[in-house]
Amino acid sequence: MTFQQTPETGSRTAFVPVAVQYRGIQWTRLGFSVWRIAVPVVIALAMGALALLVGGKNPLEIYNMLVREAFGDWARINATLTAATPLLFTGLAAALAFRAGVFNVGVEGSFAFAGLATAVVGTSVGGLPPVLAVLACLIAGALAGMLVALVPALLRTWLGVDEVVSTLMFNFIVVGLTAWLVQSFFLAPGQANSATAYLAETAELAPLVPPGQLSIGFVIALLLVLGYAAWARHSRLGFEFEAVGKTPRFSVAQGLRVRTVLMISMLASGAIGGLGGAVHALGVVHRFSVGFSASFGFTGIAIALLARFNPIGIVIGAIAFGALAAAGTTVQLFVNIPIQLIDILQGTVMMLAVAQFAIPRLRRRKRATSGTEDLA
């Protein structure tokens, strides 16, 4: 028998220790979660197989090649984990916001703007020791990501503006703003395309296993996911996030810190997305250029929805999408298949994941509306 503490609910609610029974692993719930993740993946594979059959290819042979190119040896695993690293950050950023009931679509903008901020800071810290140079770049990335999320967070928290619309629009603003900043102020000398200069060597993240590109950024991402798991399960704020996300009206009635939760969720989501952009700049591309993000923020949304905010699911989803991205480009070199096949697989999984998440909510909202009309 253990005890859990009710959250701080203000003067209207007293502290009441509640006895709870330890239930162990809930196998039924775990099995349902696995089933929920497997359905979109199986449907996506079936649609990809259909496209391959229409193109005269053997789906089993292509899929076997994809698995081999993603996990066949250490070099391929290195490439897969490198591709999964930014997705771990963006998936976690989206999951953190979703946990509080906030559908933050702006992780993509935070990721890109942080990449530019990191590149700018990274070119000017050559005189610092490597640890301080990397730390300065990571802080700059996190602050830049948070800055992108600030205005939508204020609009959502204090004016009730739909965060889906505001964060989506901010993505377009960030795309234009970063291109203008690079072209006007930070363009590398002699560069025709919109790209900054390369980072100072002291600011680059060293590869964990040369010559692969997997860096300590992957370890940072895993530590963040572990921290998220502990925070969500054992902290008061984690409990408040879940309460506000599942029952916002009840949370308001109980005096929970709803506005604080909404504000923190969006800013923290932006900061984590920004860290992802910083790690991508420091460990992989070593500069910022137009097209810096390969839709990492949007893919992170699909990962968070598939995982239902579960930290293990986020790791599995990020590695799965990373494997598709890493193996897809190399398989195309050996077999004459269109690279769009990977886009079909990823797009189908994303579409079904969003449908799984949105349809039940729309049904609940419709039932609530019908109930209100009946009472009227």
Side-chain angles (χ1 to χ4, degrees):
M1 187 78 69
T2 60
F3 290 89
Q4 68 181 17
Q5 182 179 347
T6 57
E8 182 182 338
T9 54
S11 58
R12 288 178 295 174
T13 305
F15 165 77
V16 179
V18 181
V20 295
Q21 189 75 36
Y22 176 70
R23 297 177 180 176
I25 299 175
Q26 299 179 34
W27 293 105
T28 304
R29 186 175 178 180
L30 181 62
F32 180 70
S33 299
V34 172
W35 168 256
R36 193 172 48 199
I37 294 174
V39 168
V41 175
V42 170
I43 293 176
L45 290 175
M47 293 189 66
L50 183 62
L52 287 169
L53 286 172
V54 171
K57 304 292 182 185
N58 184 343
L60 293 178
E61 181 182 343
I62 300 299
Y63 286 157
N64 182 51
M65 192 175 294
L66 281 173
V67 173
R68 194 168 60 247
E69 288 300 316
F71 304 104
D73 54 35
W74 173 244
R76 300 313 313 159
I77 294 174
N78 191 306
T80 294
L81 296 183
T82 301
T85 299
L87 301 178
L88 280 170
F89 283 100
T90 56
L92 178 61
L96 183 70
F98 292 164
R99 192 173 187 85
V102 176
F103 202 97
N104 182 13
V105 191
V107 178
E108 176 76 8
S110 295
F111 188 95
F113 196 61
L116 174 60
T118 302
V120 172
V121 173
T123 56
S124 58
V125 293
L128 294 179
V131 173
L132 292 180
V134 170
L135 189 60
C137 291
L138 292 177
I139 292 173
L143 291 176
M146 196 183 296
L147 182 63
V148 171
L150 178 61
V151 174
L154 290 172
L155 292 174
R156 172 68 177 86
T157 303
W158 296 101
L159 299 178
V161 175
D162 191 332
E163 74 277 5
V164 176
V165 177
S166 61
T167 53
L168 182 62
M169 292 300 105
F170 256 75
N171 285 334
F172 294 106
I173 293 174
V174 168
V175 169
L177 180 63
T178 52
W180 174 72
L181 287 173
V182 171
Q183 202 65 33
S184 302
F185 303 104
F186 306 118
L187 186 65
Q191 287 285 332
N193 56 346
S194 297
T196 64
Y198 283 101
L199 306 170
E201 288 189 8
T202 54
E204 295 180 0
L205 291 178
L208 288 177
V209 186
Q213 288 185 308
L214 183 64
S215 70
I216 197 172
F218 179 73
V219 179
I220 295 173
L222 289 182
L223 289 176
L224 279 177
V225 174
L226 286 174
Y228 164 76
W231 166 82
R233 190 173 180 83
H234 300 293
S235 73
R236 188 185 72 183
L237 190 59
F239 175 85
E240 288 181 299
F241 265 55
E242 186 170 8
V244 171
K246 289 184 175 177
T247 55
R249 291 184 180 178
F250 181 75
S251 299
V252 171
Q254 288 298 308
L256 294 183
R257 303 174 298 174
V258 175
R259 283 181 173 172
T260 302
V261 167
L262 294 177
M263 197 73 187
I264 292 176
S265 67
M266 295 194 71
L267 293 181
S269 177
I272 294 173
L275 273 178
V279 166
H280 190 59
L282 297 175
V284 180
V285 294
H286 306 307
R287 69 193 309 191
F288 178 87
S289 60
V290 172
F292 174 79
S293 173
S295 299
F296 294 126
F298 297 120
T299 308
I301 292 173
I303 292 170
L305 293 179
L306 275 176
R308 283 293 198 276
F309 330 135
N310 183 284
I312 297 176
I314 292 171
V315 174
I316 294 174
I319 293 176
F321 276 90
L324 276 177
T329 52
T330 54
V331 166
Q332 192 193 21
L333 299 177
F334 303 122
V335 184
N336 185 24
I337 62 170
I339 189 64
Q340 286 77 14
L341 171 67
I342 305 303
D343 295 334
I344 291 174
L345 295 177
Q346 290 183 340
T348 305
V349 173
M350 292 171 67
M351 182 182 65
L352 294 173
V354 172
Q356 276 189 340
F357 181 80
I359 290 176
R361 290 196 167 204
L362 291 175
R363 285 177 175 170
R364 284 197 297 270
R365 184 177 298 179
K366 187 176 180 180
R367 283 199 296 269
T369 305
S370 302
T372 304
E373 290 176 351
D374 292 341
L375 289 175

